[in-house]
Amino acid sequence: DTEVTQTPKHLVMGMTNKKSLKCEQHMGHRAMYWYKQKAKKPPELMFVYSYEKLSINESVPSRFSPECPNSSLLNLHLHALQPEDSALYLCASSQATGIIGYTFGSGTRLTVV
Amino acid sequence: KQEVTQIPAALSVPEGENLVLNCSFTDSAIYNLQWFRQDPGKGLTSLLLIQSSQREQTSGRLNASLDKSSGRSTLYIAASQPGDSATYLCAVRREETSGSRLTFGEGTQLTVNP
C-alpha cells in the first residue's frame, strides 16, 4: 500500500458544527502532516506529528485540533469554524528521515457555511 | 525563513514542445527537493525527488536537476502532451529540531494545447 487515504472527500459544515477529518496510511511512515490549501495558492503547513507526538503547530487557531491515535492514523477535529476556513485540507506522510519523499492524500474539500 | 519561487507562473504551449519549469530557493541548507503535480481540486502527486547530494533525477519524459549551491532546480518535460496540463509545484524539505518542514513555491500552471 503506497497511498494516503483521506475521508471524507467533501464536507459542508455550519459554523456551530463539530466534524472530523480522517487520514490513514500503511506505509510505516512515522511523520504525518496537515496542510491547508486555498484556491490557486500552495499548501501551507498546519501541523506535524513525529512518532505520534505533535512536533510543529504553525500557530493554528484552536478551532482546529489535531490528533494522532496511532502511527497509521491522523485526525483533524473541527469546531466553530469560520467561512474563511473553507479550503482543501491535505494530509501527507513521510519517513521521519527524508530518504523517501512526502506522499500526499487526495484531500478533503471543506466548505463552511 | 525559506522562500521558494517558481517561474513562470503560467505557461501555455502547443503539444509536442519541450519545456522547462524553474524553481529557486533562498536557503541552500535543504535535505531534498520534490516536484509535484496537482490537477484542479485534487491532491498532490509526487513526480521526482532529488536528494541534496544529487544533481538530477529522471522519470520517463521528466528530468529534474538540482544546483544546491545556487539554490536552483529545473523540471524539464520532453514532448509535452495535453495530459501534462496541471499545476507543477516545487517543494524543498528542511530538517529542524522540531521536525521536517516542506516549503512550497507558488506553482507553475501549465496548459498544453492539442
Side-chain angles (χ1 to χ4, degrees), chain A residues 42-59:
Chain A
E44 295 179 346
L45 182 64
M46 299 175 71
F47 302 105
V48 179
Y49 272 85
S50 182
Y51 293 93
E52 295 93 68
K53 293 191 188 316
L54 181 65
S55 60
I56 295 177
N57 176 342
E58 291 287 83
S59 301

Side-chain angles (χ1 to χ4, degrees), chain B residues 15-89:
Chain B
E15 183 177 3
E17 272 205 8
N18 302 326
L19 54 99
V20 175
L21 308 182
N22 296 291
C23 171
S24 61
F25 46 95
T26 55
D27 185 350
S28 62
I30 64 169
Y31 198 89
N32 57 40
L33 183 146
Q34 201 164 355
W35 282 94
F36 293 92
R37 168 190 172 133
Q38 187 173 32
D39 294 292
K42 305 294 185 182
L44 276 64
T45 299
S46 180
L47 298 174
L48 288 165
L49 172 72
I50 310 178
Q51 301 297 340
S52 61
S53 59
Q54 296 177 321
R55 298 287 292 185
E56 68 178 293
Q57 284 286 334
T58 298
S59 176
R61 294 183 295 108
L62 305 179
N63 176 276
S65 67
L66 174 63
D67 185 340
K68 183 181 161 186
S69 60
S70 67
R72 293 181 182 179
S73 176
T74 61
L75 179 65
Y76 175 83
I77 302 177
S80 58
Q81 302 171 358
D84 295 331
S85 298
T87 296
Y88 290 79
L89 292 159

Side-chain angles (χ1 to χ4, degrees), chain A residues 33 35 37 42 55-56 58 88 90 94-96 98-99 101-102 104-106 109, chain B residues 31-32 34 36 38 41-44 49 51 93 95 98 100-102 104-106:
Chain A
Y33 314 84
Y35 281 81
Q37 187 178 27
S55 60
I56 295 177
E58 291 287 83
L88 181 67
L90 294 163
S94 73
Q95 292 182 337
I99 301 301
Y102 281 48
F104 279 80
S106 57
R109 172 68 62 188
Chain B
Y31 198 89
N32 57 40
Q34 201 164 355
F36 293 92
Q38 187 173 32
K42 305 294 185 182
L44 276 64
L49 172 72
Q51 301 297 340
R93 177 171 180 162
E95 300 300 310
S98 54
S100 165
R101 186 183 297 275
L102 198 63
F104 287 87
E106 295 276 331

